Amino acid sequence: MRYYEKPDALVIRGDFRAISSGAAGGLADVSTILSISVPPAFSENAERQIERVSAKYGFLSPQFGLLAAVPVKNTCIAQYDEITVFAAAAVSDRNRTVNIIVVSSVPLTDAALLGALMTTTEAKMKVLMERKVGSSSLSTDAAIIACEKNPGAALEFAGPLTDIGRKISMTVSFALNEALARFDNYLLANWGVSRGWASGSCAAQAKRSRPSFFIYSRYGGDHWNEWLPEGCPYYPCHNFTGQVCTFCYCPLYPCCDTEFSEEIDTPRGKIWSCQDCRFIHEPAVVSHLRRNPEASFAELKEVWKNVSRN
């Protein structure tokens, strides 16, 4: 899976089996998932808007998409091991849109996708009740659950008592709380009103110029950590001059290319280590990937080789 920001959409690309409760949804194999930003007064056909945005960026069907009247920068992305959640929220006195996209790097059966959708909805409703976010006749909440078609046996269950269901529930809850905080600041900046969702622990982190990315870290005790390129306490983590940190969490992981790194033993089993890898921090590689977000690993490796030869 790769995802990247466009002016009016967050684009998620991969080879997915997915279920969507949004416009033109259902159960299907898709290669593109879109979280689309629309104007507050948007009243056009949602299915056609999804098709237009997808075609504008060169992505042909099949695709799933969700629409919300919030800027793309308000999206909150949270990653917990094999689960990545994208949450966007727009709530007014008359309507409510809460969009949640869950992507699993572990394959799931169709039944497990349905179970994950139920788990996601349960976690969402718990947050909304705790935040006292009411429903209305104009509520347009929707969700997409997708799994990558990676090797290995597909999980058969994803209810809240399973390991993957627990991760989905925790990640959805965290990402949605952060998305509500972002929307609260959006209300305050544009209309001078606040619902108090950005108060407390979210207050210092709620204003961002790009989608916010959080990762569930076990370093120094289990906790959520927001990655920010500014003022990183670990820089330069790969110890070479000119290191570029645009892709701190590698979109190619795990590359499994022994030219760059190797598997290491940990208390949780073997994992692919990036400790000594400079590949995704090489300026030329970063520049090429930003210009060509669909670039393959082989293509990027050629860029790296050219730099190394020079």
Side-chain angles (χ1 to χ4, degrees):
M1 173 189 70
R2 293 188 189 178
Y3 57 87
Y4 39 91
E5 180 186 1
K6 296 291 186 179
D8 57 350
L10 190 73
V11 180
I12 306 166
R13 293 278 288 163
D15 186 13
F16 304 115
R17 181 68 171 168
I19 185 169
S20 171
S21 65
L27 184 65
D29 296 328
V30 298
S31 55
T32 306
I33 300 172
L34 300 161
S35 177
I36 299 171
S37 175
V38 296
F42 181 84
S43 59
E44 299 177 37
N45 181 278
E47 185 174 346
R48 285 199 293 270
Q49 180 68 4
I50 293 168
E51 291 175 352
R52 278 197 295 267
V53 173
S54 184
K56 179 170 70 172
Y57 295 120
F59 305 128
L60 303 179
S61 296
Q63 78 276 316
F64 280 150
L66 302 178
L67 280 62
V70 291
V72 176
K73 68 178 182 180
N74 280 29
T75 306
C76 289
I77 307 164
Q79 181 181 327
Y80 185 168
D81 294 346
E82 66 269 32
I83 296 299
T84 305
V85 170
F86 305 79
V91 183
S92 72
D93 293 333
R94 295 197 315 112
N95 52 41
R96 182 190 83 198
T97 299
V98 174
N99 287 341
I100 298 173
I101 299 169
V102 178
V103 179
S104 168
S105 62
V106 174
L108 306 172
T109 64
D110 288 353
L113 285 171
L114 288 165
L117 179 61
M118 294 175 66
T119 299
T120 296
T121 303
E122 180 181 303
K124 178 197 75 174
M125 293 308 300
K126 185 173 185 294
V127 171
L128 297 182
M129 290 176 65
E130 290 172 348
R131 292 280 188 172
K132 296 181 172 57
V133 179
S135 61
S136 75
S137 59
L138 296 176
S139 295
T140 56
D141 296 359
I144 296 173
I145 313 297
C147 65
E148 295 185 83
K149 297 179 183 178
N150 289 329
L155 298 180
E156 297 182 1
F157 303 100
L161 297 183
T162 64
D163 180 62
I164 197 164
R166 177 183 60 83
K167 291 177 180 178
I168 291 171
S169 183
M170 286 180 60
T171 311
V172 167
S173 177
F174 181 84
L176 180 52
N177 271 302
E178 294 291 336
L180 289 170
R182 301 304 185 278
F183 184 72
D184 198 39
N185 272 296
Y186 175 71
L187 289 176
L188 192 61
N190 289 276
W191 289 284
V193 296
S194 171
R195 300 177 186 273
W197 297 331
S199 61
S201 61
C202 294
Q205 301 178 347
K207 296 180 180 179
R208 292 288 178 261
S209 60
R210 56 181 172 266
S212 300
F213 176 76
F214 303 86
I215 191 162
Y216 192 73
S217 173
R218 296 176 176 85
Y219 184 79
D222 292 1
H223 66 286
W224 286 101
N225 181 58
E226 182 179 6
W227 175 75
L228 294 167
E230 301 86 9
C232 176
Y234 305 110
Y235 181 87
C237 53
H238 292 261
N239 298 312
F240 74 98
T241 303
Q243 172 183 325
V244 177
C245 296
T246 301
F247 300 103
C248 177
Y249 292 95
C250 182
L252 309 170
Y253 183 87
C255 70
C256 298
D257 189 318
T258 54
E259 191 169 353
F260 298 113
S261 194
E262 62 184 356
E263 275 192 333
I264 61 171
D265 292 310
T266 76
R268 296 177 182 269
K270 288 184 177 294
I271 65 168
W272 184 258
S273 170
C274 300
Q275 182 175 350
D276 298 318
C277 179
R278 300 183 177 186
F279 181 73
I280 202 60
H281 297 301
E282 181 64 49
V285 174
V286 171
S287 178
H288 187 84
L289 183 54
R290 291 191 68 180
R291 293 194 309 271
N292 308 278
E294 300 282 318
S296 66
F297 178 70
E299 180 181 336
L300 293 169
K301 194 170 179 180
E302 281 301 312
V303 174
W304 176 80
K305 286 181 178 178
N306 288 335
V307 172
S308 300
R309 283 194 289 264
N310 295 330

